[in-house]
């Protein structure tokens, strides 16, 4: 037995459980009847040392089996990070649970709870562990799930895996894809870069562009040494602030691939991230063409192959094909190429500085004299020519300072992005900034602005010659008339003249342009791939696929190549170049704004480990970026802003199904909380009254007509809360309650119904409504009106339910709530119909069973046809109402709520064609007076109406047959105390308080007749109305029985169009004062 492996049994669960049979105990105690005898007890640990894997926080099998019998953990198919360790404790068996999502748990089958070694003991609770906090599996470790609260708190017979995952979190499709990729990466073979190779080198190569060699000397000539240093420092200030902001975002959590897009989208949300990600990827793609064309222009071809323009196209095409080959070969080859280019570039820079100390007489006619104080002082100030200004020169230089995101753009290929991005980016800004300043001072100290290149232009007239060259023996004053080809102002290749070895400067120019082109060619597909993975823009998912061990975006490379090649063939980039620069600046502005926004939101989740940032400095950086955009090119800045705005509006409209915990969400919450607290300090005013409704709708899709009507007059006006009271007779399932709350809120959001959903467990409707009336709301955002559906089937059910229903109305009035009750003749509740509130195909399949002919349809057909009418009725408030009337029977002054609701309805497009007709009670001899008085009141309330009807015959006795119908209605609910002993009558009344006494009938005879008469008048005047809004009759609590009150409402509202009975809390909700 000891030499055999334990057998495996299927647990029979849907979650793929595997049961390991017990072979023996690990303790030296005598075996129990349920365990086989042990051939050799396993020695227990006596030194108190931990298992090697325990420090990693992995789940381990606590199988308590003999090691020889059990074998290794791999023998029973356990994951490699789940280890087995014998223990002295005992258990019936051990089972491995797999949720099907890559998450593994070990549980004891007797108690169905998870076990871990914690503090040296077997306990369910798990110690803090980084693997519990991973969103998906990652190369750094496997995602594990801690025991959920239910598993720790619920009874032992509960099933811990009933939701698929232990903590109830279902992974999204994006997370599953990321998990698969991470698992693939974890197998090894991926290439990851450190901060030097991955960030520092790339940023320096991108910042040290061709500008360093062919434009820096010209800028010094125009602006002078002083203003050139100011220009460099201004550009460096913008990039430094952006670098600090980038560092803050990059250290506020794990950074995946996507560079600037990932940083912005995870901070500001998909709207900003999606818009900037697309233009940033496009800018990098076109930047490839810019750099390649710059390279092609500097290639000195002795003989033209065709003409100058086509030569640029040919050289550019061959160059970009070569760069594509390097990129497709993989990141490792691309990184090696970057190192080679960096060595060449550093050699070229060193070559220049060495040459600046080697003054050669033959170079003096061309303006290079070596370091001289006279030249330094002359070049210290500006000498702007050809309509150049400080800002125009700044606009030319600033693109040279960009490129600080070259390292962040390949964040997915960095070993530790959180550490690499801050160190590499900021150090690159410092090194390149110092280099630019050093070159500016050096060039301005040893090269004059103008030189003729003629050895014969020596000083002949010391009186008129005052330039620095005059003190050195040369007279270049003729250059003031123009035409000179040498010096800082005239020779773009002057650095080659100064250098010790001229061709090395040319090699540096090639290196600078090619490295920048290569970095952009790699950045664009990486950013675009991350954008496509998030599925922000439909149809771009084809570019999300990666290939090889590094998940290379080969399709993105091809797309970038095509875009770059197209612009290379145009070969005219003077127009597109400013737009590209503005695209980069827009990205920088949003990165800075992201830090400001996240700090302003004050979210507890904003905890960057990089502390050297300030929210106001970041805001200043964002503003500076926008200013620089307009300085460089105002129309390009406008185009950039319009494109970003258009993409932002598009993404906002599409509402991608993502939730990244953005600072936008945090700020919205912060503002909502602040405004709610501010409202509590302000007393309510009549002018600001708005109906805030608690709607007892059950599940939101159960009573769509009720929801749609209330939504029509609360949308963008007042609060709407869908209350659901779930009656339970046994212990409630609170976990199910939470799941229902989330699901119903999603349903409301999907249907674009602006409402909240809340639910409570209660014994009955009345108690649940009491809970909701007292507890729902936050400060001033609290319901003031209870909206219910009419209880159509009240006469068929238990009268105790009617007692509860009527008492619920009384409770609302006691709490100073207004009450509104909607009645449709077909009813409101459609939850019993297949499809639960939607026109489900299965319902029509049932309906097809009914023949359309025959005098006596079957009961099933009658039932189905009734349901069909109910479904049609439930959708009537969803569609446009067309021309018609809303009849307002404002019989009693309740503060104006009965009038306010119809007015709000007519402001909606669905009800816009309806006109309000007002019906009021009056006397026959005062009809004209009452009509004028009401017209005056309505005009002062500024409420439009089409007609006012004064009901002079409201007190006329109702028709005899209607009175008989009412008598038949109340007959089953009468107490009939005159026909029994007084004691028996009192006992029956106490047991059934809803019964109607004879005294009660006599006392409220006039009110009963009024309800009957009102129904007659309603049928006479409002039978064609789209909606009737009528004052709800009141019944004095404790005096009018529930049955009589229900009979009043039944009589009043039967056989009518949709009827809304409304009664405010008798506090004014309308005013004619300003």
């Amino acid at each position: 037995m000891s030499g055999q492996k334990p057998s495996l049994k299927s647990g029979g669960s849907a979650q793929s459980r595997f049961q390991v049979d017990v072979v023996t105990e690990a303790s030296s105690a005598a075996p129990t009847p349920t365990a086989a005898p042990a051939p050799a007890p396993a020695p227990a640990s006596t030194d108190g040392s931990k298992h090697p894997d325990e420090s990693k926080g992995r789940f381990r099998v606590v199988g308590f089996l003999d090691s020889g019998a059990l074998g290794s953990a791999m023998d029973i198919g356990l994951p490699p990070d789940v280890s087995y360790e014998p223990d002295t404790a005992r258990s019936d068996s051990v089972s491995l649970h797999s949720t099907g999502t890559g998450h593994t748990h070990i549980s004891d089958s007797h108690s169905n709870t998870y076990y871990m070694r914690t503090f040296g003991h077997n306990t369910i609770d798990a110690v803090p562990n980084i693997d519990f906090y991973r969103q998906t599996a990652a190369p750094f470790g496997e995602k594990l799930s801690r025991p959920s609260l239910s598993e720790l708190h619920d009874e032992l017979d509960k099933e811990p895996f009933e939701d698929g995952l232990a903590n109830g979190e279902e992974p999204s499709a994006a997370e599953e894809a990321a998990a698969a990729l991470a698992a693939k990466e974890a197998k090894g073979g991926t290439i990851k870069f450190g901060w030097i190779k991955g960030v520092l080198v790339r940023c320096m190569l991108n910042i040290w562009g061709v500008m360093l060699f062919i434009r820096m000397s010209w800028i010094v000539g125009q602006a002078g040494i002083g203003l050139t240093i100011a220009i460099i420092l201004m550009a460096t200030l913008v990039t430094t602030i952006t670098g600090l902001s980038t560092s803050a975002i990059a250290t506020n959590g794990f950074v995946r691939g996507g560079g600037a897009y990932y940083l912005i989208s995870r901070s500001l949300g998909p709207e900003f991230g999606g818009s900037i990600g697309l233009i940033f990827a496009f800018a990098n793609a076109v930047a490839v063409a810019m750099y390649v064309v710059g390279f092609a222009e500097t290639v000195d071809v002795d003989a033209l192959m065709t003409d100058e323009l086509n030569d640029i196209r040919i050289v550019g095409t061959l160059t970009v094909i070569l760069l594509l080959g390097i990129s497709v070969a993989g990141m490792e080859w691309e990184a090696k190429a970057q190192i080679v280019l960096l060595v060449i570039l550093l050699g070229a820079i060193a070559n220049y500085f060495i040459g600046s100390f080697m003054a050669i007489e033959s170079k003096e006619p061309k303006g290079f004299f070596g370091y001289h104080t006279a030249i330094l002082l002359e070049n210290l100030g500006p000498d702007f020519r050809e309509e150049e200004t400080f800002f125009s020169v700044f606009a030319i230089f600033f693109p040279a300072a960009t490129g600080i995101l070259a390292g962040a753009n390949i964040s997915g290929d960095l070993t530790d992005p959180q550490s690499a991005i801050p160190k590499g980016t900021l150090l690159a800004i410092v090194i390149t900034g110092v280099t630019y300043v050093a070159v500016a001072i050096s060039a301005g100290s040893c090269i004059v602005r103008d030189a003729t290149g003629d050895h014969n232009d020596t000083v002949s007239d010391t009186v008129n010659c005052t330039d620095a060259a005059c003190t050195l023996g040369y007279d270049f004053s003729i250059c003031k008339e123009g035409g000179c080809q040498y010096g800082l102002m005239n020779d773009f290749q002057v650095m080659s003249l100064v250098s010790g070895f001229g061709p090395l400067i040319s090699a540096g120019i090639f290196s600078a342009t090619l490295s920048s082109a290569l970095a952009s060619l790699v950045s664009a597909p990486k950013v675009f791939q991350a954008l496509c993975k998030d599925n922000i823009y439909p149809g771009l998912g084809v570019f999300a696929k990666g290939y090889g061990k590094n998940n290379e975006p080969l399709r993105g490379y091809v797309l970038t190549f095509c875009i770059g090649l197209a612009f290379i063939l145009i070969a005219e980039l003077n127009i597109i170049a400013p737009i590209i620069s503005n695209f980069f600046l827009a990205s920088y502005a949003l990165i800075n704004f992201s830090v400001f926004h996240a700090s302003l939101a004050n979210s507890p989740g904003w905890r960057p480990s990089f502390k050297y940032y300030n929210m106001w400095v970041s805001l200043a950086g964002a503003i500076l970026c926008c200013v620089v955009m307009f300085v460089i090119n105002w129309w390009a800045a406008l185009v950039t802003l319009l494109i970003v705005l258009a993409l932002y509006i598009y993404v906002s409209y599409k509402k991608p199904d993502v939730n990244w915990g953005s600072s936008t969400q945090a700020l919205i919450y912060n503002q909502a909380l602040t405004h709610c607290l501010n409202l509590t300090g302000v007393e309510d005013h009549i002018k600001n009254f708005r109906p805030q409704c608690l709607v007892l709708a059950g599940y939101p899709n159960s009573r769509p007509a009720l929801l749609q009507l209330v939504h029509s007059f609360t949308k963008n006006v007042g609060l709407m809360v869908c209350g659901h009271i779930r009656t339970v007779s046994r212990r409630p399932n609170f976990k199910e309650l939470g799941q229902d709350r989330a699901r119903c809120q999603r349903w409301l959001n999907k249907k674009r119904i602006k409402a909240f959903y809340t639910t409570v467990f209660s014994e009955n409707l009345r108690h649940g409504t009491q809970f909701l009336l007292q507890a729902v709301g936050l400060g001033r955002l609290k319901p003031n009106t209870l909206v219910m559906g009419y209880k159509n089937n009240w006469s068929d059910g238990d009268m105790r339910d009617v007692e509860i229903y009527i008492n619920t109305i009384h409770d609302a009035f006691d709490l100073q709530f207004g009450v509104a009750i909607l009645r449709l003749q077909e009813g409101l509740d459609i939850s019993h119909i297949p499809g639960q509130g939607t026109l489900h195909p299965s319902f029509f399949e049932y309906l097809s069973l009914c023949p359309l002919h025959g005098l006596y349809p079957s009961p099933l057909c009658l039932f189905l046809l009734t349901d069909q009418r109910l479904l049609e009725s439930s959708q009537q408030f969803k569609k446009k109402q067309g021309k018609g009337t809303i009849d307002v029977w404002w019989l009693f002054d309740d503060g104006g709520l009965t009038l306010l609701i119809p007015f709000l309805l007519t402001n909606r497009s669905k009800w816009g064609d309806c006109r309000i007709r007002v019906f009021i009670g009056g006397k026959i001899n005062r009809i004209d007076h009452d009509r004028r008085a009401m017209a005056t009141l309505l005009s002062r309330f500024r409420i439009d109406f089409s007609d006012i009807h004064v009901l002079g015959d409201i007190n006329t006795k109702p028709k005899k047959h209607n009175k008989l119908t009412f008598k038949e209605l109340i007959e089953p609910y009468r107490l009939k105390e005159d026909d029994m002993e007084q004691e028996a009558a009192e006992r029956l009344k106490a047991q059934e308080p809803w019964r109607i006494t004879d005294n009660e009938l006599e006392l409220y005879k006039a009110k009963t007749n009024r309800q009957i008469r009102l129904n007659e008048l309603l049928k006479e005047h409002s039978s064609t109305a789209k909606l009737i809004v009528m004052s709800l009759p009141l019944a004095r609590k404790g005096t009018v029985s529930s049955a009589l009150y229900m009979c009043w409402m039944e009589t009043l509202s039967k056989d009518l169009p949709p009827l809304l009975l409304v009664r405010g809390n008798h506090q004014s909700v309308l005013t004619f004062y300003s």
Side-chain angles (χ1 to χ4, degrees):
M1 179 77 178
S2 62
Q4 298 176 353
K5 295 180 182 177
S7 60
L8 298 179
K9 294 181 182 179
S10 172
S13 171
Q15 284 79 18
S16 303
R17 305 193 178 176
F18 298 92
Q19 186 81 14
V20 181
D21 287 350
V22 175
V23 177
T24 182
E25 285 185 317
S27 98
S28 57
T32 62
T34 60
S45 176
T46 58
D47 60 358
S49 63
K50 294 183 179 180
H51 189 276
D53 281 345
E54 189 169 344
S55 62
K56 299 180 183 177
R58 304 291 191 199
F59 284 112
R60 296 178 294 102
V61 179
V62 187
F64 324 121
L65 307 177
D66 176 69
S67 58
L70 182 61
S72 67
M74 295 305 295
D75 288 338
I76 60 171
L78 297 181
D81 60 1
V82 181
S83 61
Y84 161 74
E85 179 185 9
D87 202 289
T88 56
R90 57 180 297 170
S91 172
D92 289 340
S93 61
V94 179
S95 62
L96 167 69
H97 297 277
S98 173
T99 63
T101 58
H103 302 194
T104 307
H105 311 281
I106 302 302
S107 73
D108 170 73
S109 65
H110 175 70
S111 59
N112 280 337
T113 51
Y114 304 131
Y115 270 70
M116 277 187 64
R117 291 284 293 177
T118 307
F119 312 132
H121 298 281
N122 293 323
T123 179
I124 303 171
D125 259 343
V127 296
N129 184 353
I130 188 174
D131 292 329
F132 293 148
Y133 294 89
R134 301 190 189 280
Q135 290 183 344
T136 58
F140 307 109
E142 182 189 359
K143 174 176 172 58
L144 300 178
S145 294
R146 71 180 64 81
S148 70
L149 187 61
S150 299
E151 291 155 3
L152 296 172
H153 181 256
D154 287 354
E155 291 154 337
L156 294 179
D157 59 351
K158 293 262 182 169
E159 177 57 62
F161 290 102
E162 56 192 29
D163 292 320
L165 292 182
N167 56 5
E169 298 175 355
E170 294 291 345
S172 65
E175 286 180 334
E176 288 179 346
L181 173 60
K184 181 179 177 182
E185 291 177 350
K187 294 179 181 179
T190 57
I191 305 300
K192 296 290 183 180
F193 303 113
W195 71 274
I196 295 177
K197 202 173 182 180
V199 182
L200 179 64
V201 170
R202 292 173 184 278
C203 288
M204 287 196 304
L205 283 171
N206 239 22
I207 298 172
W208 279 333
V210 71
M211 191 73 66
L212 178 65
F213 297 103
I214 63 174
R215 284 292 186 274
M216 198 67 223
S217 57
W218 178 84
I219 291 172
V220 173
Q222 290 279 357
I225 296 173
L227 289 184
T228 299
I229 294 175
I231 287 172
I232 295 170
L233 292 180
M234 282 179 60
T236 305
L237 176 65
V238 173
T239 55
T240 301
I241 294 174
T242 306
L244 294 173
S245 299
T246 303
S247 302
I249 299 175
T251 58
N252 191 51
F254 183 73
V255 178
R256 299 189 187 277
Y261 160 72
Y262 186 89
L263 297 178
I264 294 172
S265 63
R266 268 49 175 185
S267 296
L268 290 178
E271 295 84 5
F272 278 115
S275 57
I276 209 67
L278 198 60
I279 68 170
F280 188 76
F282 177 76
N284 273 286
V286 179
V288 174
M290 290 176 58
Y291 294 127
V292 169
V293 169
F295 168 76
E297 287 178 346
T298 58
V299 174
D300 186 12
V301 181
D302 293 335
L304 291 175
M305 289 180 284
T306 54
D307 56 70
E308 186 178 353
L309 191 61
N310 285 324
D311 283 355
I312 292 174
R313 290 169 176 163
I314 294 170
V315 174
T317 301
L318 295 174
T319 304
V320 78
I321 292 173
L322 174 64
L323 294 178
L324 177 66
I326 295 173
S327 301
V328 171
M331 289 297 294
E332 188 174 11
W333 283 96
E334 187 266 348
K336 290 177 180 177
Q338 293 280 25
I339 294 295
V340 172
L341 293 173
L342 177 65
V343 171
I344 297 173
L345 191 58
L346 289 173
I349 294 172
N351 177 45
Y352 163 76
F353 282 109
I354 293 171
S356 67
F357 289 98
M358 298 167 56
I360 301 174
E361 188 176 348
S362 62
K363 296 181 180 180
E364 290 180 355
K366 295 183 179 180
F368 172 55
F369 294 92
Y371 291 100
H372 288 278
T373 306
I375 298 176
L376 171 66
L377 293 176
E378 183 180 79
N379 291 337
L380 199 59
D383 183 16
F384 293 113
R385 302 178 189 175
E386 299 176 359
E387 299 183 355
E388 296 290 350
T389 64
F390 174 81
F391 288 108
S392 67
V393 174
F394 175 80
I396 291 171
F397 171 78
F398 186 82
T402 60
I404 60 172
L405 295 181
N409 286 338
I410 62 161
S411 53
D413 296 298
L414 300 176
T415 303
D416 184 8
Q418 290 180 279
S419 172
I421 292 175
K423 287 194 294 187
T425 303
L426 294 175
L427 186 57
I429 291 172
V430 172
I431 293 174
T432 54
V434 170
T435 304
Y436 276 120
V437 170
V439 170
I441 295 174
S442 172
S445 301
C446 64
I447 310 170
V448 296
R449 280 192 168 99
D450 299 290
T452 60
D454 189 349
H455 288 271
N456 298 320
D457 288 335
T458 55
V459 176
S460 59
D461 185 1
T462 57
V463 177
N464 296 324
C465 187
T466 57
D467 294 337
C470 297
T471 62
L472 301 173
Y474 283 87
D475 182 7
F476 298 139
S477 56
I478 193 174
C479 291
K480 293 178 181 178
E481 300 174 6
C484 292
Q485 298 180 0
Y486 297 97
L488 294 175
M489 301 289 280
N490 309 303
D491 185 8
F492 289 154
Q493 301 285 349
V494 72
M495 287 185 70
S496 298
L497 172 70
V498 175
S499 65
F501 181 61
L504 191 55
I505 295 295
S506 298
I509 295 173
F510 296 164
S511 173
T513 52
L514 291 179
S515 62
S516 298
L518 190 57
S520 297
L521 184 57
V522 170
S523 297
K526 295 282 186 182
V527 173
F528 194 58
Q529 182 186 36
L531 177 67
C532 296
K533 279 183 179 178
D534 290 332
N535 199 26
I536 301 296
Y537 298 101
L540 298 182
V542 66
F543 294 102
K545 183 175 176 58
Y547 296 87
K549 57 188 179 182
N550 260 51
N551 195 40
E552 294 290 348
L554 297 185
R555 297 175 180 177
Y557 283 132
V558 174
L559 179 64
T560 304
F561 168 77
C562 293
I563 294 173
L565 183 61
F567 282 97
I568 287 170
L569 295 178
I570 294 173
E572 292 289 341
L573 297 176
N574 291 335
I575 295 178
I576 198 71
I579 299 179
I580 301 307
S581 297
N582 277 280
F583 281 179
F584 285 123
L585 278 167
S587 305
Y588 297 170
L590 280 180
I591 288 176
N592 286 310
F593 183 73
S594 297
V595 173
F596 168 75
H597 201 266
S599 302
L600 184 67
N602 199 25
S603 171
W606 174 246
R607 302 184 303 275
S609 57
F610 183 84
K611 302 299 182 183
Y612 304 103
Y613 74 95
N614 180 276
M615 61 182 289
W616 301 110
V617 172
S618 295
L619 178 61
I623 295 172
L624 273 175
C625 289
C626 293
V627 170
V628 172
M629 287 172 64
F630 282 92
V631 166
I632 291 177
N633 192 303
W634 67 268
W635 64 262
L638 288 178
V639 170
T640 302
L641 293 177
L642 287 174
I643 293 174
V644 172
L645 181 62
L647 292 173
Y648 179 90
I649 293 172
Y650 172 79
V651 178
S652 300
Y653 176 76
K654 296 296 290 185
K655 286 186 171 56
D657 187 19
V658 293
N659 183 9
W660 295 322
S662 66
S663 61
T664 304
Q665 296 174 349
L667 189 62
I668 290 172
Y669 172 84
N670 217 0
Q671 291 174 339
L673 181 60
T674 301
H675 293 323
C676 282
L677 291 172
N678 290 341
L679 279 174
T680 59
V682 181
E683 290 296 325
D684 288 331
H685 194 279
I686 300 173
K687 288 194 296 183
N688 292 327
F689 176 87
R690 52 193 71 214
Q692 305 194 111
C693 299
L694 172 62
V695 186
L696 300 186
Y699 284 110
N701 59 345
S702 297
R703 296 170 177 82
L706 183 62
L707 245 65
Q708 291 291 344
L709 180 65
V710 177
H711 185 243
S712 294
F713 64 81
T714 59
K715 180 182 178 183
N716 298 330
V717 173
L719 176 70
M720 177 178 172
V721 180
C722 297
H724 184 189
I725 298 156
R726 301 182 61 178
T727 55
V728 290
S729 56
R730 53 188 179 83
R731 189 178 59 183
N733 185 339
F734 289 107
K735 184 177 181 181
E736 181 184 340
L737 188 75
Q739 293 169 347
D740 280 351
R741 184 181 293 114
R743 186 170 63 250
C744 291
Q745 188 64 57
R746 284 196 301 269
W747 186 90
L748 289 170
N749 295 341
K750 184 179 179 181
K751 298 295 182 181
R752 298 189 177 183
I753 296 176
K754 297 186 177 181
F756 299 98
Y757 172 84
T758 186
T759 180
V760 294
F761 281 121
S762 179
E763 296 177 359
N764 55 49
L765 174 71
R766 183 184 184 186
H767 291 160
T769 306
Q770 288 175 346
F771 298 154
L772 293 175
L773 291 172
Q774 295 176 80
V776 168
L778 188 67
R780 298 292 182 196
L781 296 178
K782 185 177 177 63
N784 53 32
T785 305
L786 176 67
V787 183
M788 309 166 64
Y790 181 76
K791 195 173 180 63
N792 274 37
N793 62 345
W794 67 273
S795 58
D796 300 330
D798 192 337
M799 285 303 293
R800 283 175 294 186
D801 293 337
V802 175
E803 179 78 8
I804 291 172
Y805 180 80
I806 298 301
N807 283 332
T808 300
I809 300 174
H810 289 314
D811 292 338
F813 289 135
D814 287 343
L815 291 168
Q816 295 298 300
F817 274 68
V819 174
I821 300 174
L822 175 65
R823 180 172 188 182
L824 303 182
Q825 296 307 313
E826 295 81 4
L828 292 168
D829 189 1
I830 62 172
S831 58
H832 62 282
I833 301 176
Q836 294 190 355
T838 59
L839 294 175
H840 197 275
S842 59
F843 175 73
F844 291 107
E845 290 175 8
Y846 296 140
L847 193 62
S848 64
L849 299 175
C850 294
L852 298 177
H853 55 82
L855 297 176
Y856 303 102
S858 67
L860 173 63
C861 293
L862 289 174
F863 176 76
L864 292 177
L865 290 171
T866 301
D867 280 352
Q868 184 186 19
R869 287 194 296 270
L870 175 58
L871 270 179
E872 292 171 352
S873 172
S874 70
Q875 302 298 317
Q876 62 180 304
F877 297 134
K878 194 174 182 179
K879 57 188 178 182
K880 189 173 178 63
Q881 297 302 306
K883 291 185 178 180
T885 62
I886 299 177
D887 289 354
V888 182
W889 291 64
W890 197 17
L891 304 179
F892 306 103
D893 194 338
D894 60 349
L897 185 63
T898 307
L899 189 61
L900 179 62
I901 289 176
F903 167 75
L904 294 175
L905 281 174
T906 55
N907 285 339
R908 299 297 177 196
S909 58
K910 291 179 183 177
W911 296 84
D913 294 335
C914 294
R915 296 290 173 261
I916 294 177
R917 292 194 303 175
V918 180
F919 294 81
I920 58 173
K923 297 180 181 178
I924 294 178
N925 57 351
R926 289 172 55 90
I927 288 179
D928 290 339
H929 176 271
D930 291 344
R931 182 183 290 113
R932 286 195 300 271
M934 178 55 62
T936 301
L937 181 60
L938 292 177
S939 63
R940 288 194 174 186
F941 283 153
R942 303 170 303 284
I943 292 178
D944 294 331
F945 60 91
S946 62
D947 200 0
I948 296 175
H949 292 266
V950 180
L951 305 171
D953 52 350
I954 193 171
N955 291 319
T956 304
K957 289 185 178 181
K959 296 176 181 178
K960 189 173 182 180
H961 70 274
N962 289 330
K963 294 174 68 174
L964 289 174
T965 303
F966 181 82
K967 186 175 181 180
E968 293 173 0
L969 179 64
I970 65 172
E971 187 64 27
Y973 313 114
R974 292 182 59 184
L975 181 62
K976 298 180 181 178
E977 64 269 29
D978 293 341
D979 298 341
M980 63 179 72
E981 297 292 333
Q982 182 179 355
E983 183 178 343
E986 291 175 355
R987 186 166 56 251
L988 181 60
K989 180 66 174 175
Q991 293 173 353
E992 300 177 351
W994 43 265
R995 288 198 174 272
I996 307 170
T997 64
D998 294 339
N999 183 47
E1000 181 184 356
L1001 274 179
E1002 185 62 30
L1003 182 63
Y1004 292 104
K1005 183 177 181 181
K1007 195 165 187 176
T1008 298
N1009 288 336
R1010 187 188 305 140
Q1011 310 311 317
I1012 302 172
R1013 177 59 183 158
L1014 282 173
N1015 181 258
E1016 294 173 355
L1017 292 171
L1018 283 164
K1019 290 178 179 177
E1020 179 183 346
H1021 296 284
S1022 298
S1023 58
T1024 60
K1026 297 290 185 180
L1027 177 68
I1028 303 172
V1029 182
M1030 188 175 192
S1031 297
L1032 172 69
L1034 279 181
R1036 192 172 295 278
K1037 186 173 61 175
T1039 305
V1040 178
S1041 62
S1042 300
L1044 180 57
Y1045 192 20
M1046 202 72 212
C1047 289
W1048 283 351
M1049 287 195 290
E1050 175 68 27
T1051 301
L1052 177 65
S1053 60
K1054 70 178 180 179
D1055 301 329
L1056 291 171
L1059 174 68
L1060 185 66
L1061 297 170
V1062 179
R1063 175 70 70 153
N1065 63 358
H1066 287 244
Q1067 300 293 322
S1068 295
V1069 301
L1070 295 171
T1071 181
F1072 44 77
Y1073 293 106
S1074 60

